Amino acid sequence: MAKGAARLKRHKKPVRPAVSPAHHVFTNGRITEMAYFSDLAEYVRSNKLTTTVYKPVFVNGTPEHVVAAAIRKRLELEHAHGDLGGVQFWAVVDCDQFPLPQLQQAKREAGTQVNLVLSNPCVELWFLLHHREFGGHLSSDGCQKLYGGINPAYNHDEGKLEVKFSSLTDNVKDAIARARKKGDVLNGGRLRCPATEIWRLIVSVFGEE
């Protein structure tokens, strides 16, 4: 992905199709997820990619609330513009604070209208997978401490929670491959841990480079 981005940087003008696919991201991660996906949006914009990632929307609530906010935005845009073509809506949620039935309900409510993306136990697992594989059960606290040991700019206990997409681009292919192997978080009647589905959003934005 880093090489593809470098090629795009050499274009003097953006190369965009008549109708550019777009991504709307909603999350209940007030700091870490908002910082990561805001930087993703800026990275896509500054590199003049042929897609759009809008600034993420913070939703203070449960997984169902995040999904509902994404559905409302979809309906609003459909009412205003009709067929949305390639526009996609993503709800990004950590599993650590929510029971399985609640996450399953959010998945049902998302249906085909919203892409529900789960991380179990938390988004820090996605960051860790940029550096190496992790097996066995991991708690949120464990993920956060492990990632803090890799990235000195991040320290959950001290409130240093922002992580930028652009700081991880060199290893994002490895993270995608590792996350893919772990499978879906919702695995029948149980939660797979550790597992994260954020790779799906990243692949949707950049393609299979």
Side-chain angles (χ1 to χ4, degrees), residues 14-26:
V15 180
R16 292 184 178 273
V19 178
S20 178
H23 299 76
H24 293 266
V25 179
F26 296 76

PDB file of all heavy atoms in Angstrom, residues 14-26:
ATOM      1  N   PRO A  14      -5.765  15.346  -9.132  1.00  0.00           N
ATOM      2  CA  PRO A  14      -6.470  14.140  -8.728  1.00  0.00           C
ATOM      3  C   PRO A  14      -7.103  13.452  -9.926  1.00  0.00           C
ATOM      4  O   PRO A  14      -7.577  14.113 -10.852  1.00  0.00           O
ATOM      5  CB  PRO A  14      -7.540  14.668  -7.750  1.00  0.00           C
ATOM      6  CG  PRO A  14      -7.694  16.105  -8.081  1.00  0.00           C
ATOM      7  CD  PRO A  14      -6.356  16.569  -8.584  1.00  0.00           C
ATOM      8  N   VAL A  15      -7.090  12.139  -9.923  1.00  0.00           N
ATOM      9  CA  VAL A  15      -7.741  11.369 -10.972  1.00  0.00           C
ATOM     10  C   VAL A  15      -8.969  10.730 -10.354  1.00  0.00           C
ATOM     11  O   VAL A  15      -8.859   9.817  -9.544  1.00  0.00           O
ATOM     12  CB  VAL A  15      -6.786  10.290 -11.530  1.00  0.00           C
ATOM     13  CG1 VAL A  15      -7.476   9.489 -12.615  1.00  0.00           C
ATOM     14  CG2 VAL A  15      -5.515  10.936 -12.065  1.00  0.00           C
ATOM     15  N   ARG A  16     -10.123  11.221 -10.704  1.00  0.00           N
ATOM     16  CA  ARG A  16     -11.353  10.752 -10.069  1.00  0.00           C
ATOM     17  C   ARG A  16     -12.384  10.333 -11.112  1.00  0.00           C
ATOM     18  O   ARG A  16     -12.525  10.980 -12.149  1.00  0.00           O
ATOM     19  CB  ARG A  16     -11.968  11.849  -9.185  1.00  0.00           C
ATOM     20  CG  ARG A  16     -11.127  12.175  -7.963  1.00  0.00           C
ATOM     21  CD  ARG A  16     -11.828  13.186  -7.085  1.00  0.00           C
ATOM     22  NE  ARG A  16     -11.056  13.460  -5.897  1.00  0.00           N
ATOM     23  CZ  ARG A  16     -11.126  12.748  -4.780  1.00  0.00           C
ATOM     24  NH1 ARG A  16     -11.912  11.711  -4.727  1.00  0.00           N
ATOM     25  NH2 ARG A  16     -10.396  13.064  -3.739  1.00  0.00           N
ATOM     26  N   PRO A  17     -13.125   9.256 -10.853  1.00  0.00           N
ATOM     27  CA  PRO A  17     -14.208   8.877 -11.749  1.00  0.00           C
ATOM     28  C   PRO A  17     -15.364   9.856 -11.628  1.00  0.00           C
ATOM     29  O   PRO A  17     -15.384  10.715 -10.753  1.00  0.00           O
ATOM     30  CB  PRO A  17     -14.609   7.491 -11.228  1.00  0.00           C
ATOM     31  CG  PRO A  17     -14.213   7.506  -9.792  1.00  0.00           C
ATOM     32  CD  PRO A  17     -12.983   8.368  -9.712  1.00  0.00           C
ATOM     33  N   ALA A  18     -16.352   9.730 -12.522  1.00  0.00           N
ATOM     34  CA  ALA A  18     -17.491  10.650 -12.514  1.00  0.00           C
ATOM     35  C   ALA A  18     -18.227  10.604 -11.177  1.00  0.00           C
ATOM     36  O   ALA A  18     -18.651  11.620 -10.651  1.00  0.00           O
ATOM     37  CB  ALA A  18     -18.446  10.305 -13.653  1.00  0.00           C
ATOM     38  N   VAL A  19     -18.407   9.399 -10.637  1.00  0.00           N
ATOM     39  CA  VAL A  19     -19.017   9.252  -9.322  1.00  0.00           C
ATOM     40  C   VAL A  19     -18.011   8.521  -8.446  1.00  0.00           C
ATOM     41  O   VAL A  19     -17.727   7.350  -8.653  1.00  0.00           O
ATOM     42  CB  VAL A  19     -20.336   8.462  -9.400  1.00  0.00           C
ATOM     43  CG1 VAL A  19     -20.916   8.280  -8.006  1.00  0.00           C
ATOM     44  CG2 VAL A  19     -21.324   9.172 -10.310  1.00  0.00           C
ATOM     45  N   SER A  20     -17.439   9.227  -7.488  1.00  0.00           N
ATOM     46  CA  SER A  20     -16.392   8.638  -6.658  1.00  0.00           C
ATOM     47  C   SER A  20     -17.009   7.863  -5.503  1.00  0.00           C
ATOM     48  O   SER A  20     -17.855   8.384  -4.791  1.00  0.00           O
ATOM     49  CB  SER A  20     -15.491   9.741  -6.107  1.00  0.00           C
ATOM     50  OG  SER A  20     -14.501   9.183  -5.278  1.00  0.00           O
ATOM     51  N   PRO A  21     -16.604   6.604  -5.290  1.00  0.00           N
ATOM     52  CA  PRO A  21     -17.062   5.883  -4.095  1.00  0.00           C
ATOM     53  C   PRO A  21     -16.677   6.664  -2.849  1.00  0.00           C
ATOM     54  O   PRO A  21     -15.668   7.365  -2.835  1.00  0.00           O
ATOM     55  CB  PRO A  21     -16.309   4.553  -4.178  1.00  0.00           C
ATOM     56  CG  PRO A  21     -15.922   4.414  -5.606  1.00  0.00           C
ATOM     57  CD  PRO A  21     -15.684   5.814  -6.101  1.00  0.00           C
ATOM     58  N   ALA A  22     -17.472   6.528  -1.827  1.00  0.00           N
ATOM     59  CA  ALA A  22     -17.222   7.285  -0.605  1.00  0.00           C
ATOM     60  C   ALA A  22     -17.493   6.411   0.606  1.00  0.00           C
ATOM     61  O   ALA A  22     -18.270   5.460   0.540  1.00  0.00           O
ATOM     62  CB  ALA A  22     -18.092   8.542  -0.564  1.00  0.00           C
ATOM     63  N   HIS A  23     -16.850   6.763   1.718  1.00  0.00           N
ATOM     64  CA  HIS A  23     -16.967   5.994   2.950  1.00  0.00           C
ATOM     65  C   HIS A  23     -17.338   6.925   4.100  1.00  0.00           C
ATOM     66  O   HIS A  23     -16.619   7.893   4.366  1.00  0.00           O
ATOM     67  CB  HIS A  23     -15.645   5.289   3.263  1.00  0.00           C
ATOM     68  CG  HIS A  23     -15.215   4.327   2.205  1.00  0.00           C
ATOM     69  ND1 HIS A  23     -14.671   4.741   1.010  1.00  0.00           N
ATOM     70  CD2 HIS A  23     -15.248   2.979   2.160  1.00  0.00           C
ATOM     71  CE1 HIS A  23     -14.386   3.681   0.275  1.00  0.00           C
ATOM     72  NE2 HIS A  23     -14.723   2.604   0.944  1.00  0.00           N
ATOM     73  N   HIS A  24     -18.436   6.630   4.762  1.00  0.00           N
ATOM     74  CA  HIS A  24     -18.848   7.336   5.969  1.00  0.00           C
ATOM     75  C   HIS A  24     -18.578   6.422   7.156  1.00  0.00           C
ATOM     76  O   HIS A  24     -19.063   5.289   7.199  1.00  0.00           O
ATOM     77  CB  HIS A  24     -20.336   7.687   5.919  1.00  0.00           C
ATOM     78  CG  HIS A  24     -20.693   8.692   4.867  1.00  0.00           C
ATOM     79  ND1 HIS A  24     -20.765  10.045   5.129  1.00  0.00           N
ATOM     80  CD2 HIS A  24     -20.993   8.543   3.555  1.00  0.00           C
ATOM     81  CE1 HIS A  24     -21.100  10.691   4.017  1.00  0.00           C
ATOM     82  NE2 HIS A  24     -21.246   9.803   3.053  1.00  0.00           N
ATOM     83  N   VAL A  25     -17.802   6.908   8.119  1.00  0.00           N
ATOM     84  CA  VAL A  25     -17.393   6.089   9.262  1.00  0.00           C
ATOM     85  C   VAL A  25     -18.009   6.647  10.546  1.00  0.00           C
ATOM     86  O   VAL A  25     -17.900   7.841  10.835  1.00  0.00           O
ATOM     87  CB  VAL A  25     -15.856   6.054   9.393  1.00  0.00           C
ATOM     88  CG1 VAL A  25     -15.441   5.209  10.596  1.00  0.00           C
ATOM     89  CG2 VAL A  25     -15.221   5.521   8.111  1.00  0.00           C
ATOM     90  N   PHE A  26     -18.615   5.761  11.315  1.00  0.00           N
ATOM     91  CA  PHE A  26     -19.215   6.111  12.601  1.00  0.00           C
ATOM     92  C   PHE A  26     -18.584   5.226  13.675  1.00  0.00           C
ATOM     93  O   PHE A  26     -18.364   4.037  13.455  1.00  0.00           O
ATOM     94  CB  PHE A  26     -20.728   5.874  12.570  1.00  0.00           C
ATOM     95  CG  PHE A  26     -21.447   6.747  11.583  1.00  0.00           C
ATOM     96  CD1 PHE A  26     -21.397   6.472  10.218  1.00  0.00           C
ATOM     97  CD2 PHE A  26     -22.167   7.859  12.006  1.00  0.00           C
ATOM     98  CE1 PHE A  26     -22.043   7.280   9.298  1.00  0.00           C
ATOM     99  CE2 PHE A  26     -22.820   8.670  11.093  1.00  0.00           C
ATOM    100  CZ  PHE A  26     -22.754   8.380   9.738  1.00  0.00           C
TER     101      PHE A  26
END
